[in-house]
Amino acid sequence: TRIGYVVPHTLAFIREQILTVESLFGSISVAVTRPRPRWLERPWAKRKEDPIDSARLRIQRFFIPSAISAGPYPLAKLSPLRKHAPEGIRDASIIHGHFLFPQGFYAVRWAQDIGVPSVVTGHGYDVYRLMERNLAWRRCLLEVLSRATVVTTVSDANRMTLVHWGVPSDRVHVVPNGYDPSLFFPTDAGPVRKRLGLGGDFRFILYVGNVVG
């Protein structure tokens, strides 16, 4: 069994999931989408990678034509792009796309062409911002969701949003992002404040994530 992943990067939670699944199944292929050819990428984008040191992983990167990456795009018109699927993805027994578009879009289309099951995971902006952008986007995403074999998302709030837009509730499964309990655990705030130089009785709010404008 070879599992194919279609992802925007190999950072953070995606990296951890890939390594965990690899430890269980061993045979993994990863396709990393790129919005522009390598030679046109901005310097900061080229650094936004976290190489995974594993001889058992097949990691390939492919360029998404701008006509598709700008979206929305009907799945039926993606047929000619099958030949551009990385070799490891063509050999997969199941294909998992992280984020509904464009990764989930590609995962579902390739899975249909190859004849294997597909999984798509909605994370955040794809569930809220893209779905609410306009009717064309909504139709595109709902087509991806309806054709996926399994739909997962990372929170109950996301699930409720997808159900609100018409995805049957029994097709959406909540699989929260995990964490490493050896790194994150309840502790006394005093020593932590002292170590970080945060004196006084001020209240601090910690936000973990990206600020997307």
Side-chain angles (χ1 to χ4, degrees):
T1 299
R2 175 173 292 278
I3 299 176
Y5 276 96
V6 186
V7 299
H9 55 72
T10 54
L11 298 170
F13 63 92
I14 292 180
R15 170 191 170 89
E16 297 305 318
Q17 183 178 115
I18 289 173
L19 290 175
T20 300
V21 172
E22 183 214 16
S23 69
L24 297 173
F25 295 95
S27 186
I28 306 287
S29 292
V30 182
V32 183
T33 60
R34 292 191 181 282
R36 54 183 59 85
R38 179 71 171 178
W39 58 276
L40 280 177
E41 286 189 339
R42 303 179 183 113
W44 64 265
K46 293 181 181 180
R47 294 194 299 269
K48 191 180 178 182
E49 295 179 1
D50 192 355
I52 300 177
D53 184 16
S54 174
R56 296 190 298 178
L57 284 176
R58 298 166 66 180
I59 300 180
Q60 298 163 289
R61 292 166 174 79
F62 69 98
F63 162 61
I64 305 174
S66 58
I68 294 176
S69 62
Y73 199 86
L75 275 172
K77 294 186 178 181
L78 192 61
S79 298
L81 294 176
R82 179 183 177 185
K83 63 181 180 296
H84 297 298
E87 181 180 352
I89 297 297
R90 293 198 298 268
D91 297 337
S93 303
I94 185 170
I95 303 176
H96 183 177
H98 269 285
F99 296 92
L100 303 182
F101 192 94
Q103 292 78 25
F105 176 84
Y106 270 88
V108 169
R109 182 67 229 193
W110 284 338
Q112 286 183 325
D113 287 344
I114 298 168
V116 299
S118 61
V119 180
V120 295
T121 297
H123 286 278
Y125 84 95
D126 50 342
V127 174
Y128 296 98
R129 295 183 62 186
L130 292 186
M131 192 70 80
E132 296 179 353
R133 186 167 289 178
N134 55 48
L135 181 59
W137 268 107
R138 196 172 309 139
R139 286 175 174 170
C140 173
L141 297 178
L142 289 175
E143 183 181 12
V144 170
L145 291 163
S146 67
R147 292 176 182 251
T149 309
V150 175
V151 178
T152 67
T153 191
V154 297
S155 70
D156 288 322
N158 281 5
R159 179 179 182 274
M160 292 173 60
T161 299
L162 292 174
V163 171
H164 167 76
W165 289 117
V167 182
S169 59
D170 59 350
R171 297 200 67 244
V172 187
H173 307 275
V174 177
V175 183
N177 288 334
Y179 73 99
D180 185 345
S182 67
L183 296 175
F184 304 98
F185 51 86
T187 187
D188 182 19
V192 176
R193 281 176 175 256
K194 183 177 180 180
R195 178 158 54 90
L196 297 176
L198 303 174
D201 297 325
F202 297 102
R203 291 181 178 270
F204 294 92
I205 298 176
L206 173 64
Y207 171 76
V208 180
N210 293 327
V211 179
V212 180

